[in-house]
Amino acid sequence: MTNIQHIIDRFVSYVKIDTQSNPNSDTTPSTEKQWVLANKLAQELREMGMDEVELDENAYVMATLPANVAHEVPVIGFISHFDTSPDFSGANVNPQILEDYDGGDIVLNKEKNIILSPEYFKELANYKGQTIITTDGTTLLGADDKAGITEIMTAMQYLLDNPDIPHGKIRICFTPDEEIGKGAHKFDVKKFGAEWAYTMDGSQIGELEFENFHAAQAIVTVQGKSVHPGYAKDKMINSIFIAQDFINSLPRLETPEHTKDRQGFFHLSNIKGDVEQTSLEYIIRDHDKKHFEARKDMILDLKNEICEQYSRECVEIELKDQYANMREKIEPVMHIVEIAEEAMNAVNIEPIIKPIRGGTDGAQLSYMGLPCPNIFAGGHNFHGKYEYIPAESMQKAAEVIVKIAELTSKRFQ
């Protein structure tokens, strides 16, 4: 496989470009700065010799690696996103590269006493002896998902340089705005033309995921009545207290900090208000469809109960589905997961098959007609200053891509 230093150099060149997306924008991409990396990637794809390189008006980058076998092989794809999260700064990323990690604390920023420690981030100890790429403690790193882009680019270059490895036609796509839930919104599945694809957007080495949360958003608006507090008896209705009743009526242990694996939750993500009006923002998540629908019903039933308690329509709810569990779209074509699992085993990686406690572009794409499991990209602690990635994990992910291409060709001989 490609020299690990080349992988590091490619990755660093990508993370140094600020591509933070903006949830309050109605353009695609949501920020102009995403075009910088999109243009760079399109140019690099042309220079390496990929076919059908296209950068469309919404900054989606697509390209083709033609088949090198005579027999019919399904067209497969690999997808990653180039935007970074709006949750933490992605400007002036200054990666630190620590070779032959000794297993101890890593000082990210001495001046601010920011330390990446295996005592807190226990997975870090698994990478002793490897090359760890970290932040400098002032920004996120951008391994989510510039690691995935690095791995796809590395794998395509390797297949171009090694034409003896058999493969069918491969399509790749790099997308904007995944971090704000819009990465698949303008993805042209028909033009992409793959029978199935893989998003390279998971975390630790070995992850292979084909199920995710069902997701909804609930905006709860509580109406009160503001009256001068000196003359408020039997007149004032404080929306904050009603909102507090609403919050306390939902199961306290069914929240993100108390759940794991396939357990769902209600997450109060934002609250703002005054006597006259209070707004609560919830996200509702569950892997099980029936449980998910029951959670939405619970929210609506609670609204009715509180309105009845106060003898007025004091609570309004705007409930909106966001995405669905892709499992039902993947199970009819489970061979695509089996190929990825076989590829990992072939390059000495133990597959970790588990549900995603979140969403993925692959979920939306699966419901758009492109079944799309998710494969590890190798990073940890996304969206913050403690983000890091072992370079060896990126190298292994690139090997998995190459092996998937080869195994798909051989399976359909």
Side-chain angles (χ1 to χ4, degrees):
M1 179 46 70
T2 303
N3 181 287
I4 200 165
Q5 188 58 51
H6 291 164
I7 293 173
I8 294 170
D9 292 344
R10 184 186 293 276
F11 176 69
V12 168
S13 75
Y14 297 158
V15 300
K16 282 181 172 289
I17 300 171
D18 181 8
T19 56
Q20 188 179 55
S21 47
N22 177 7
N24 299 314
S25 169
D26 57 5
T27 64
T28 304
S30 62
T31 52
E32 280 294 315
K33 54 192 174 184
Q34 291 183 64
W35 281 105
V36 178
L37 184 51
N39 279 294
K40 175 181 172 65
L41 293 169
Q43 184 61 31
E44 287 184 0
L45 288 165
R46 295 187 188 101
E47 290 172 355
M48 74 166 61
M50 293 286 283
D51 284 4
E52 301 176 319
V53 178
E54 180 181 352
L55 173 60
D56 73 11
E57 68 275 12
N58 296 307
Y60 288 75
V61 182
M62 291 189 183
T64 299
L65 180 65
N68 64 359
V69 294
H71 61 277
E72 196 76 20
V73 180
V75 179
I76 64 172
F78 296 93
I79 300 165
S80 291
H81 64 92
F82 49 74
D83 68 311
T84 60
S85 172
D87 293 347
F88 207 78
S89 174
N92 302 312
V93 174
N94 180 34
Q96 298 187 113
I97 300 169
L98 181 63
E99 297 180 356
D100 193 19
Y101 169 53
D102 64 8
D105 289 354
I106 299 175
V107 178
L108 301 181
N109 192 301
K110 186 175 181 180
E111 180 183 340
K112 297 182 178 181
N113 193 33
I114 300 172
I115 297 171
L116 178 64
S117 174
E119 289 188 12
Y120 191 84
F121 300 106
K122 299 188 185 302
E123 298 91 351
L124 186 58
N126 297 333
Y127 303 111
K128 184 177 180 180
Q130 297 190 22
T131 297
I132 309 296
I133 306 174
T134 74
T135 75
D136 66 359
T138 63
T139 68
L140 49 67
L141 181 60
D144 179 13
D145 188 24
K146 292 169 186 175
I149 293 174
T150 299
E151 293 149 9
I152 293 171
M153 294 288 278
T154 299
M156 294 305 103
Q157 184 68 68
Y158 189 80
L159 288 169
L160 285 164
D161 293 344
N162 294 273
D164 55 312
I165 300 174
H167 60 82
K169 180 178 177 180
I170 298 171
R171 291 282 279 161
I172 67 169
C173 184
F174 304 133
T175 71
D177 292 339
E178 188 271 353
E179 295 291 0
I180 57 172
K182 298 179 179 179
H185 283 194
K186 296 184 179 180
F187 191 108
D188 192 331
V189 170
K190 184 177 180 181
K191 182 172 72 173
F192 193 58
E195 190 167 320
W196 74 83
Y198 302 92
T199 48
M200 302 299 297
D201 196 18
S203 184
Q204 73 182 90
I205 187 168
E207 283 188 352
L208 174 56
E209 302 154 326
F210 63 91
E211 56 180 308
N212 58 280
F213 278 139
H214 291 285
Q217 180 189 52
I219 306 296
V220 181
T221 303
V222 182
Q223 300 293 344
K225 187 173 291 185
S226 183
V227 178
H228 188 292
Y231 307 93
K233 187 171 184 345
D234 299 327
K235 297 183 181 69
M236 177 186 286
I237 300 173
N238 193 327
S239 75
I240 298 172
F241 289 137
I242 301 174
Q244 185 177 355
D245 287 344
F246 190 97
I247 294 167
N248 291 339
S249 296
L250 289 173
R252 180 63 185 91
L253 297 182
E254 294 183 21
T255 56
E257 63 270 34
H258 294 105
T259 53
K260 62 180 181 178
D261 301 329
R262 286 181 172 82
Q263 297 170 334
F265 57 73
F266 301 95
H267 176 45
L268 177 60
S269 58
N270 192 22
I271 179 171
K272 58 184 177 182
D274 52 28
V275 172
E276 188 76 19
Q277 180 174 291
T278 298
S279 175
L280 310 174
E281 293 183 17
Y282 279 94
I283 61 172
I284 304 167
R285 301 289 187 263
D286 213 299
H287 284 95
D288 183 275
K289 178 70 171 176
K290 289 182 179 179
H291 292 170
F292 175 63
E293 294 299 332
R295 289 185 184 281
K296 292 191 291 182
D297 288 343
M298 183 183 293
I299 285 271
L300 295 174
D301 289 345
L302 179 56
K303 164 197 175 293
N304 293 333
E305 288 174 15
I306 289 180
C307 288
E308 185 177 341
Q309 176 185 342
Y310 284 89
S311 301
R312 61 192 295 267
E313 289 296 314
C314 57
V315 181
E316 297 175 357
I317 294 184
E318 180 185 344
L319 189 60
K320 180 173 68 175
D321 285 342
Q322 295 172 304
Y323 51 83
N325 191 341
M326 64 179 162
R327 179 171 184 150
E328 68 180 67
K329 298 297 182 181
I330 301 296
E331 284 185 329
V333 289
M334 275 300 287
H335 63 278
I336 71 179
V337 176
E338 293 164 1
I339 290 171
E341 188 175 5
E342 185 180 348
M344 289 187 191
N345 285 320
V347 298
N348 300 314
I349 297 171
E350 182 178 352
I352 304 170
I353 299 178
K354 64 178 186 178
I356 305 170
R357 284 185 63 78
T360 165
D361 273 354
Q364 294 185 55
L365 292 170
S366 293
Y367 281 87
M368 292 165 65
L370 182 65
C372 205
N374 192 43
I375 292 174
F376 73 92
H380 290 263
N381 305 340
F382 296 146
H383 300 186
K385 60 190 174 187
Y386 295 106
E387 186 180 4
Y388 72 92
I389 189 168
E392 287 81 357
S393 294
M394 287 192 284
Q395 188 175 44
K396 279 296 185 183
E399 290 179 20
V400 168
I401 294 170
V402 170
K403 187 57 68 173
I404 286 174
E406 181 181 0
L407 289 174
T408 302
S409 173
K410 290 180 177 178
R411 176 176 281 232
F412 290 90
Q413 267 182 319

